[in-house]
Amino acid sequence: MKMTNEQKYRLIEQAEPGEIASLQEKVKQCHWRQTFHIQPSTGLLNDPNGFSYYQGEYHLFYQWFPLGTDHGMKYWYHLKSKDLVTWDNAGIGITPGDTFDSHGAYSGSALEHEGKLYMLYTGNTRDENWIRHPYQCMAVMDESGLITKWEHPVISNVPEGYTDHFRDPKLWKDGDSFYCVIGAQRTNATGCVVLYRSTDLHSWQFEGEIRTGLESFGYMWECPDYFELDGSGVLVFSPQGLEPSGDEYHNIYQSGYIIGKPLNTETRTLEHGAFRELDRGFDFYAPQTMVDPQGRRIMVAWMGLPDIDSPTDPNGWAHCLTLPRELILHEGKLLQRPVPELTALRRKREDRVADTLSSERKTYEGFTGTAYELICEVDLLSAKAFGIEFRASATERTVIKYDAVSRKLVLDRSQSGEPVAASYGEVRQCAWNEDHIKLHLFVDMSSVEIFVNDGEEVFTSRIFPHPESDEIHFFADKGEALFQAVKWGFTE
């Protein structure tokens, strides 16, 4: 049952007696709880926020509505990690409910400066007519971990020419200046990104819109993130309102990037190539990046999408975050690779297989499970297709395959279990032209992340099979394929 606005915009302390305990009990009964992904204890998780490195630890926050699976009163929930693998709960980071974030502490980012962590976020408010008024607010974490919100917003109005869809500031520093990009909607209902500049993090100057070649590209651009990688300028954002085109833009909303020369902050011009989707799967949105002490550009995203119901809603929780991925620039394209620290998840048991399949489907000893890492390298000899069915049983399976006839990689979740967003289609695919394929899968209780040829393509998806669907099948159609695979479980 959907909540009323009054119920959705309550703070935790306004919960009814027993309400949170009842939610926790529902969550406990859910067999789709993840084993190695960040997920909420109760309620709804969405965008990653404030991803940063401060005082020897990675800090990551996420949007959290604790009292249900609606998009209600959002908090920033705080996690810390020394290795990007094991995350410690640090509790609520930013609590909404004040004048300038009365209806939620919405998305934003973080930057270390002079020994403190500055967190710039969108304060969501609604007036008596339920009209949105966004403010860009600042909170600061000191060395003791105490987070203090500034009393007044640092950007208190929306510039002329833009609507109240104005949010998700992403901070960076260049020379003596601080910059942030903000996702915006023009008054003609087209999406864009605007630029602000500051010398002190307190006072911010509106510089204007970033000039791209995408004048009419959806009706809103959320969660922008600008950074430079190997001498190129990269703008990542999540456009809403794109129509499907060929194999692209089939999810309700997209996330992707444009790459070109570094942004000229004086002219605000970004010369760039084509927009590319970051992920080929079903559930990927609102990515955010940071640079760590090793100089790596690391990205985390929401493994979910707005305006989509989740099969876990009746269990009192929804959504999770992706695994951290390092971004590599290669021939004008971003590759995504799971950070090497994730090998720490592997337990001692290691299963290996090498075989030639000839127009057949086979299973192998040790190749079962509900949470594991699997690397499979394939040479297509004469087969018309090769693939892996995982989280499989007599009635359920999720399939990743290469179709050599159509030259496409295909992810099919039409038989994955409980359907999710089926009206947007249950197959995702992209062009692929190599007969040697490396498939690197991270399978969890209700998700899969598939990295193809070391991150040339990635398929990220939630799946909701029965717990007993734990088989792994390898198959070749109409011919031969040579493959080898190795699998690690995540339990002893």
Side-chain angles (χ1 to χ4, degrees):
M1 195 172 74
K2 291 292 179 188
M3 290 181 168
T4 64
N5 282 337
E6 287 74 18
Q7 290 172 317
K8 283 197 287 195
Y9 289 93
R10 292 175 299 156
L11 294 165
I12 289 176
E13 53 268 29
Q14 294 169 317
E16 300 289 334
E19 184 177 359
I20 292 171
S22 165
L23 268 178
Q24 289 168 336
E25 199 49 45
K26 275 188 189 171
V27 171
K28 253 189 236 167
Q29 310 301 319
C30 184
H31 57 241
W32 289 315
R33 289 294 280 175
Q34 302 276 58
T35 57
F36 59 95
H37 283 83
I38 291 168
Q39 61 192 343
S41 56
T42 64
L44 179 134
L45 166 156
N46 60 309
D47 307 1
N49 294 159
F51 192 20
S52 52
Y53 192 85
Y54 175 61
Q55 291 198 300
E57 291 183 297
Y58 293 93
H59 292 262
L60 179 57
F61 301 79
Y62 60 76
Q63 292 280 285
W64 183 45
F65 174 52
L67 300 181
T69 56
D70 294 86
H71 285 272
M73 182 71 97
K74 297 292 174 65
Y75 289 73
W76 275 34
Y77 192 84
H78 184 194
L79 301 160
K80 296 191 295 188
S81 176
K82 292 197 184 305
D83 61 5
L84 292 168
V85 180
T86 303
W87 292 90
D88 297 324
N89 291 313
I92 289 166
I94 298 176
T95 300
D98 294 321
T99 306
F100 300 105
D101 58 12
S102 61
H103 288 68
Y106 275 20
S107 290
S109 55
L111 180 76
E112 183 183 2
H113 178 59
E114 295 181 344
K116 293 183 175 168
L117 192 67
Y118 287 79
M119 293 171 276
L120 183 61
Y121 69 97
T122 299
N124 181 44
T125 70
R126 298 277 189 168
D127 64 19
E128 61 277 5
N129 298 314
W130 207 245
I131 292 168
R132 182 199 311 260
H133 298 282
Y135 298 92
Q136 313 312 315
C137 304
M138 189 74 82
V140 181
M141 181 159 68
D142 66 19
E143 292 174 4
S144 74
L146 180 69
I147 297 174
T148 307
K149 293 198 292 190
W150 288 359
E151 191 177 346
H152 294 287
V154 293
I155 300 170
S156 55
N157 65 311
V158 174
E160 200 172 328
Y162 304 93
T163 73
D164 55 18
H165 289 286
F166 194 82
R167 54 184 172 267
D168 314 333
K170 181 60 162 59
L171 277 167
W172 77 94
K173 188 170 190 244
D174 187 7
D176 293 331
S177 292
F178 301 94
Y179 293 93
C180 78
V181 281
I182 296 178
Q185 181 186 62
R186 304 182 188 104
T187 48
N188 69 355
T190 55
C192 63
V193 167
V194 299
L195 181 69
Y196 279 78
R197 178 177 169 270
S198 174
T199 55
D200 60 4
L201 291 167
H202 286 263
S203 168
W204 288 84
Q205 175 73 33
F206 176 62
E207 297 288 295
E209 196 174 301
I210 290 184
R211 296 190 176 103
T212 70
L214 303 172
E215 276 301 301
S216 184
F217 194 70
Y219 59 76
M220 172 64 191
W221 293 6
E222 291 198 309
C223 303
D225 188 347
Y226 176 77
F227 55 89
E228 289 172 12
L229 194 57
D230 296 343
S232 292
V234 183
L235 180 65
V236 172
F237 59 100
S238 296
Q240 299 183 326
L242 303 184
E243 291 296 320
S245 172
D247 290 333
E248 298 186 313
Y249 314 152
H250 285 272
N251 295 332
I252 183 172
Y253 306 125
Q254 278 50 249
S255 289
Y257 62 93
I258 49 178
I259 291 183
K261 295 176 183 172
L263 174 68
N264 183 324
T265 52
E266 296 301 313
T267 64
R268 304 181 312 284
T269 302
L270 185 65
E271 296 177 27
H272 62 86
F275 176 84
R276 288 178 184 266
E277 286 187 88
L278 274 161
D279 199 275
R280 301 297 189 173
F282 296 87
D283 299 281
F284 182 95
Y285 197 71
Q288 187 169 101
T289 74
M290 57 84 74
V291 175
D292 79 350
Q294 300 169 48
R296 299 180 298 177
R297 177 63 61 173
I298 300 173
M299 178 179 73
V300 171
W302 173 24
M303 211 192 298
L305 283 161
D307 306 324
I308 295 291
D309 293 333
S310 169
T312 63
D313 288 348
N315 294 105
W317 73 284
H319 309 306
C320 60
L321 296 182
T322 67
L323 295 172
R325 306 164 180 190
E326 183 180 1
L327 296 180
I328 312 283
L329 184 60
H330 178 68
E331 296 178 353
K333 181 178 177 180
L334 289 179
L335 309 186
Q336 301 170 54
R337 294 179 181 162
V339 294
E341 288 93 329
L342 291 166
T343 56
L345 288 168
R346 297 171 181 170
R347 294 298 174 255
K348 286 177 185 161
R349 184 173 174 82
E350 184 181 302
D351 294 290
R352 290 184 177 272
V353 63
D355 201 359
T356 301
L357 293 176
S358 180
S359 306
E360 61 189 321
R361 170 184 279 95
K362 283 177 83 170
T363 59
Y364 299 88
E365 188 180 347
F367 282 80
T368 59
T370 54
Y372 53 85
E373 179 185 358
L374 172 70
I375 298 175
C376 177
E377 297 211 42
V378 193
D379 285 296
L380 225 61
L381 303 176
S382 58
K384 297 290 186 279
F386 173 87
I388 307 171
E389 298 176 346
F390 55 95
R391 295 304 309 271
S393 63
T395 56
E396 294 180 340
R397 62 190 49 89
T398 303
V399 186
I400 180 73
K401 73 174 181 178
Y402 173 52
D403 185 326
V405 178
S406 63
R407 311 297 281 179
K408 293 201 173 174
L409 288 166
V410 182
L411 177 65
D412 183 341
R413 71 171 182 189
S414 61
Q415 294 176 280
S416 290
E418 188 71 23
V420 53
S423 62
Y424 291 92
E426 295 183 305
V427 172
R428 294 288 181 269
Q429 58 188 22
C430 68
W432 187 259
N433 232 359
E434 296 174 50
D435 285 343
H436 178 83
I437 311 163
K438 177 183 177 184
L439 298 171
H440 189 174
L441 282 69
F442 287 86
V443 175
D444 208 342
M445 300 303 290
S446 56
S447 69
V448 62
E449 291 169 74
I450 305 169
F451 299 85
V452 185
N453 284 28
D454 297 316
E456 283 187 43
E457 298 290 357
V458 188
F459 291 80
T460 302
S461 296
R462 298 301 302 276
I463 52 173
F464 298 94
H466 286 89
E468 57 271 20
S469 295
D470 65 352
E471 297 168 17
I472 302 171
H473 311 148
F474 298 88
F475 67 88
D477 286 344
K478 297 181 181 146
E480 292 192 336
L482 177 68
F483 83 99
Q484 51 186 348
V486 57
K487 172 186 164 287
W488 295 269
F490 293 150
T491 53
E492 297 291 357

